[in-house]
Amino acid sequence: LLSNLETEKEKLLQIVLVGQPELYDKLKLPALRQLNQRVSVRYHLTPLNRNEVYYYIKHRLTVAKTKELPQDKIQFTSKALDMIYEQTEGTPRMVNIICDRALLAGFISETFTIDETIINNCAKEII
């Protein structure tokens, strides 16, 4: 959300609000009516579909790769990807959290293959 606070003569402050869906509910409160009226841009990120989750994870691995550890060394099995989608319902924030935990679990287990067992254990901790 982008909000402009201004006087009749000049803009005083420009605020970018980034939050969870609950932020929209908060802005509907009568006490925040004037702030809500000043929000000039709104964008809601919808959940990703199954294929988008797969490509999103692949993209994140590609961006994170280094010469010392090429991204193709770390693999998520297809069952693990299915489980990530099912557990997160495509919510990017939750995809990030589960994948982060799964990569840490893979590191601790000294494996480059993230399977459904790892995802299941991570999901139990988080959800």
Side-chain angles (χ1 to χ4, degrees):
L1 304 172
L2 178 62
S3 179
N4 296 309
L5 301 177
E6 54 195 54
T7 66
E8 290 180 19
K9 296 181 182 180
E10 61 187 327
K11 289 186 180 187
L12 299 175
L13 184 64
Q14 189 172 58
I15 303 171
V16 177
L17 303 171
V18 179
Q20 309 307 318
E22 295 82 14
L23 179 60
Y24 287 107
D25 296 333
K26 291 282 186 196
L27 286 174
K28 291 178 186 174
L29 294 173
L32 297 176
R33 188 186 61 156
Q34 289 189 10
L35 176 59
N36 190 33
Q37 291 170 350
R38 287 174 173 78
V39 173
S40 56
V41 177
R42 297 171 191 257
Y43 183 77
H44 179 73
L45 183 62
T46 58
L48 304 173
N49 66 37
R50 187 177 298 268
N51 286 335
E52 289 170 332
V53 168
Y54 296 174
Y55 289 120
Y56 179 69
I57 292 170
K58 183 177 179 180
H59 170 74
R60 294 290 304 257
L61 288 171
T62 300
V63 170
K65 75 178 177 179
T66 66
K67 289 181 182 181
E68 294 79 29
L69 182 62
Q71 146 273 349
D72 359 339
K73 270 192 140 181
I74 299 173
Q75 297 291 324
F76 282 73
T77 66
S78 60
K79 286 184 181 181
L81 292 170
D82 286 339
M83 188 172 280
I84 291 168
Y85 176 75
E86 290 164 10
Q87 293 291 327
T88 65
E89 298 177 345
T91 303
R93 176 175 40 95
M94 294 306 298
V95 171
N96 289 340
I97 291 169
I98 286 184
C99 287
D100 182 59
R101 294 270 176 102
L103 291 171
L104 180 59
F107 175 76
I108 291 169
S109 300
E110 298 181 353
T111 182
F112 291 105
T113 302
I114 307 301
D115 62 14
E116 65 274 12
T117 302
I118 292 174
I119 297 302
N120 189 42
N121 291 336
C122 293
K124 282 180 187 176
E125 292 175 13
I126 297 165
I127 299 175

